[in-house]
Amino acid sequence: MSTPKFRPLKFGVTRVNMREGADGVRYMSADQKLTDYPTRMTDRLAHWASTQPDTTMLAKRVKNADGSLGDWHHISYAQAWQSARAIAQALVDRGLNAERPVVIMSENDLEHALLSLGCLVAGVPYCPASPAYSTISQDYEKLRHILTTLTPGLVFAADAKRYGKAIEAAVGKDIEVVLQSGEIAGRATTSFTDLLATPVTSAVDAAMQATGPDTIAKFLFTSGSTKLPKAVINTQRMWCANQQQMAQSMPVLAETPPVLVDWLPWNHTFGGNHNFGMVLYHGGTLYIDEGKPTPALMGETLRNLREIAPTVYFNVPTGFEAIAAAMKTDDALRKNLLSRVQMFFYAGAALAQPIWDSLHQSQEREVGERIVMGTGLGMTESGPFAIFVTSPFVKAGDLGVPTPGMELKLVPNNDKVEVRYKGPNITPGYWRAPQETQEAFDEEGFFCTGDAVKWIDENDVHQGLKFDGRIAEDFKLATGTFVSVGPLRSKIISAGAPYVQDAVITGLNMHEVGAMIFPTAAVRGLSGLTEEASMAEVLASPAVLAHFQTVLNGLAKTATGSASRVARMVLMADPPSIDKGEVTDKGSINQRAVLKHRDGLVQAMHDGSAPNGLQPQ
């Protein structure tokens, strides 16, 4: 079999250094040092505003009177710098600081970006709160938790109509509210245009010069599992160091200013630190994609990708799944998307191998070569970038090796190995949570990730690591047999592609392993029913049940024992809940939260009384 041809891509780290510790602990680092990086991200904004003032930094489609999206509105680096300075002056005038930061209750948009840049210039920390906590949540519990934790001095929302109810329910009357559009009856608010119109004084330069590597740039909240989300402190050092680490691990980022078409939410570290920071660090351009990998919004993403050709492209597995399906028949999408993209990159969940294969088939058909699918491992507490692959021959589950300047500590934990992090990109802790901060670090100062890893090739450490699940998710059957959740979940998603969105593994203290299946929208086409049919009706249809019975039978045949044999399966008509912490607005499933809130269904599945329940035949 011939070796597939890939579009050339340089990998920055391909070899590692190892040292041995006590009790089977091993330490792993890149064989190159982290080079110098800026003191603060605002230095990069000032640099690009001076050297390439007319280059587009940000672009977003204008909303027409009928609600449709029209042409792109561009903001140059010079305009972004000028706006950020005016906003910074407004923040300085208000005396805002780490004790009274800014909370942004909005999706990705131009005003959100400019306000965040203004905060950076002024040295005022900001927090992009998940829009779902305001627009989808019914109880606003997590929004209230964010506001209580941070005690903001200013809250921004793009649209009074969309966010007004949440503001009235959760934002205290003593907190200034800034709106891009609309008014809230009975409440005084400030217009965003007033911030932009603030005359700039020398106080702005003084405020910026007072910031340094230890200045808090932002707070990003974890998604939360069994507890409420924690506020991860993100310093200027963290962000700058991590961007330089990315540039050394992924040299393509520094070869030419990156052009991104991106929807990933800025309240998550992937979209807000990794991607937004990448553009700012390298003087690139970010086209804000108002699409999303959902049936209702994916069409907008595809439209944008037919028009704007990215140089690197980032998404979560559900997004790549939709793109893979569209590229089979969409000639314009294939031609434009593949015209200059140097690398694809996914994170957030497992990417099923069939989706990977489909992407490669479309790429070879259109341009005669494959595009490298990059991936790795990271988290909010690591900036997020920590580990990246070492070659184009990436397989599902591969992670790679540590980025320069960061050391991994590989710690045996029963039959698993936990990976821990230390480096300049690691958070100093959680805001106003000293106990949780102390518990997050071990005696050597390594951050305990809870992620399990194993070697891609035990005889060649330079190939690096692959994912082996979350240690906290693993459990024992009643027989004492350990179930490794991560690999089993990935196996189920791959076997059920393209009809499985995610799977939650059950069986704690039981005799058999079960799986709760959250289906993709594609399952409707499999059912043969009309669009008016409910999801419960779709999942109960003979065609869908027959398909998943075949999947379950196939999994049973390849199982090697009770820990890898799915003996029970139930198809979930109700999607995971954001309010209950079962899923993030990026689409990542929370195994522990689903099990906690659906315990009755778990019990019913294992006693055989659950609807849409299946067993191997």
Side-chain angles (χ1 to χ4, degrees):
M1 188 175 182
S2 60
T3 302
K5 178 185 177 184
F6 283 89
R7 183 165 288 179
L9 183 74
K10 182 180 178 182
F11 292 83
V13 182
T14 57
R15 298 190 65 79
V16 297
N17 299 319
M18 299 293 301
R19 64 184 179 92
E20 304 294 327
D23 301 320
V25 172
R26 304 182 76 184
Y27 300 85
M28 183 181 191
S29 59
D31 71 343
Q32 60 177 275
K33 294 182 178 180
L34 177 63
T35 58
D36 292 340
Y37 52 88
T39 300
R40 55 206 168 199
M41 286 293 281
T42 33
D43 292 340
R44 305 306 293 160
L45 177 60
H47 171 75
W48 300 123
S50 173
T51 60
Q52 51 179 49
D54 298 327
T55 297
T56 295
M57 177 184 181
L58 300 159
K60 186 183 179 186
R61 290 191 186 275
V62 175
K63 185 166 289 188
N64 298 320
D66 62 359
S68 64
L69 297 175
D71 293 334
W72 294 97
H73 174 64
H74 295 255
I75 292 181
S76 69
Y77 275 92
Q79 291 169 328
W81 176 239
Q82 181 181 13
S83 296
R85 286 172 57 78
I87 293 169
Q89 181 71 59
L91 302 180
V92 170
D93 290 346
R94 286 160 171 78
L96 301 182
N97 52 41
E99 302 298 324
R100 298 177 63 242
V102 171
V103 169
I104 301 175
M105 294 169 51
S106 295
E107 287 96 346
N108 303 0
D109 58 38
L110 299 178
E111 293 75 25
H112 181 154
L114 294 177
L115 179 54
S116 65
L117 293 174
C119 288
L120 292 174
V121 172
V124 177
Y126 68 97
C127 172
S130 168
Y133 296 168
S134 300
T135 61
I136 297 177
S137 173
Q138 299 301 307
D139 59 18
Y140 305 118
E141 180 187 16
K142 289 185 177 179
L143 177 60
R144 287 191 183 92
H145 170 67
I146 288 174
L147 298 172
T148 300
T149 302
L150 299 181
T151 61
L154 184 149
V155 167
F156 169 77
D159 178 24
K161 183 177 180 181
R162 184 166 169 78
Y163 290 93
K165 185 178 178 181
I167 290 171
E168 287 294 274
V171 180
K173 297 292 186 180
D174 59 329
I175 301 174
E176 182 180 8
V177 173
V178 176
L179 297 172
Q180 167 62 17
S181 63
E183 298 178 346
I184 299 175
R187 180 160 189 157
T189 59
T190 303
S191 169
F192 184 75
T193 55
D194 290 344
L195 301 187
L196 289 174
T198 308
V200 178
T201 73
S202 59
V204 169
D205 296 317
M208 181 173 160
Q209 291 307 314
T211 64
D214 294 316
T215 299
I216 299 173
K218 64 170 78 173
F219 301 106
L220 289 176
F221 276 78
T222 61
S223 57
S225 53
T226 57
K227 299 180 180 179
L228 285 169
K230 299 186 289 287
V232 179
I233 299 169
N234 282 247
T235 65
Q236 290 279 2
R237 176 186 288 106
M238 273 183 69
W239 205 1
C240 292
N242 205 223
Q243 287 299 321
Q244 182 59 33
Q245 289 170 321
M246 289 165 55
Q248 289 181 233
S249 289
M250 300 185 288
V252 64
L253 302 180
E255 290 173 0
T256 184
V259 175
L260 270 61
V261 180
D262 194 50
W263 69 270
L264 287 157
W266 293 340
N267 59 284
H268 280 282
T269 187
F270 190 2
N273 273 7
H274 191 284
N275 292 357
F276 187 89
M278 174 192 306
V279 169
L280 178 55
Y281 197 81
H282 294 287
T285 301
L286 172 59
Y287 288 85
I288 299 173
D289 175 16
E290 294 187 74
K292 201 173 183 180
T294 65
L297 297 176
M298 192 64 203
E300 179 63 21
T301 291
L302 298 178
R303 172 199 182 191
N304 291 334
L305 291 175
R306 291 187 200 102
E307 184 174 327
I308 307 298
T311 59
V312 286
Y313 185 70
F314 303 87
N315 214 322
V316 294
T318 51
F320 278 116
E321 179 183 333
I323 290 170
M327 281 209 299
K328 291 178 180 179
T329 57
D330 193 327
D331 295 345
L333 174 66
R334 283 197 315 276
K335 182 177 181 180
N336 195 64
L337 174 57
L338 301 177
S339 62
R340 62 173 179 174
V341 68
Q342 298 299 307
M343 179 183 71
F344 285 164
F345 184 105
Y346 82 93
L351 181 65
Q353 195 63 47
I355 307 303
W356 213 314
D357 295 339
S358 177
L359 288 167
H360 282 161
Q361 289 169 5
S362 291
Q363 293 157 7
E364 290 175 331
R365 170 186 170 190
E366 183 67 28
V367 295
E369 58 189 3
R370 297 180 177 184
I371 309 301
V372 171
M373 178 63 81
T375 189
L377 187 65
M379 59 199 315
T380 308
E381 291 87 346
S382 65
F385 191 84
I387 302 174
F388 186 65
V389 292
T390 62
S391 82
F393 304 106
V394 186
K395 297 178 182 177
D398 288 358
L399 301 175
V401 299
T403 193
M406 200 183 75
E407 188 171 35
L408 305 185
K409 183 179 180 181
L410 307 177
V411 183
N413 186 323
N414 294 315
D415 61 343
K416 295 270 188 175
V417 174
E418 182 191 10
V419 60
R420 300 179 182 179
Y421 300 154
K422 181 187 283 188
N425 57 311
I426 305 302
T427 181
Y430 303 110
W431 184 245
R432 294 173 173 166
Q435 185 63 35
E436 287 88 345
T437 297
Q438 182 179 350
E439 293 170 353
F441 293 87
D442 69 13
E443 68 284 353
E444 291 187 290
F446 282 83
F447 183 84
C448 303
T449 70
D451 288 322
V453 295
K454 55 185 177 182
W455 298 107
I456 292 175
D457 183 345
E458 294 183 358
N459 298 315
D460 183 6
V461 296
H462 303 292
Q463 290 190 37
L465 304 164
K466 59 182 177 180
F467 192 61
D468 197 26
R470 292 278 298 168
I471 289 174
E473 293 179 347
D474 293 348
F475 60 86
K476 284 184 179 181
L477 296 173
T479 58
T481 303
F482 261 109
V483 176
S484 185
V485 168
L488 182 56
R489 176 172 156 266
S490 297
K491 186 177 181 180
I492 293 170
I493 293 172
S494 181
Y499 303 112
V500 176
Q501 183 78 59
D502 222 316
V504 171
I505 310 303
T506 69
L508 173 65
N509 296 326
M510 297 180 180
H511 291 278
E512 297 175 321
V513 172
M516 304 165 75
I517 304 297
F518 290 97
T520 64
V523 78
R524 286 188 172 274
L526 184 63
S527 73
L529 300 178
T530 65
E531 286 298 316
E532 288 72 31
S534 68
M535 182 55 74
E537 292 171 327
V538 167
L539 298 182
S541 68
V544 170
L545 290 174
H547 170 79
F548 280 99
Q549 185 66 64
T550 301
V551 171
L552 186 55
N553 293 344
L555 289 167
K557 290 179 181 177
T558 59
T560 57
S562 61
S564 62
R565 183 178 187 272
V566 181
R568 308 271 177 173
M569 180 180 284
V570 64
L571 309 181
M572 307 295 290
D574 295 327
S577 164
I578 285 180
D579 268 353
K580 295 178 180 178
E582 294 179 336
V583 68
T584 69
D585 50 0
K586 194 179 66 178
S588 301
I589 201 78
N590 186 321
Q591 166 103 3
R592 294 172 66 185
V594 171
L595 293 174
K596 174 184 176 182
H597 295 292
R598 307 197 189 210
D599 181 65
L601 181 57
V602 173
Q603 301 302 322
M605 175 173 61
H606 282 272
D607 68 23
S609 63
N612 301 328
L614 300 170
Q615 298 181 50
Q617 293 178 353

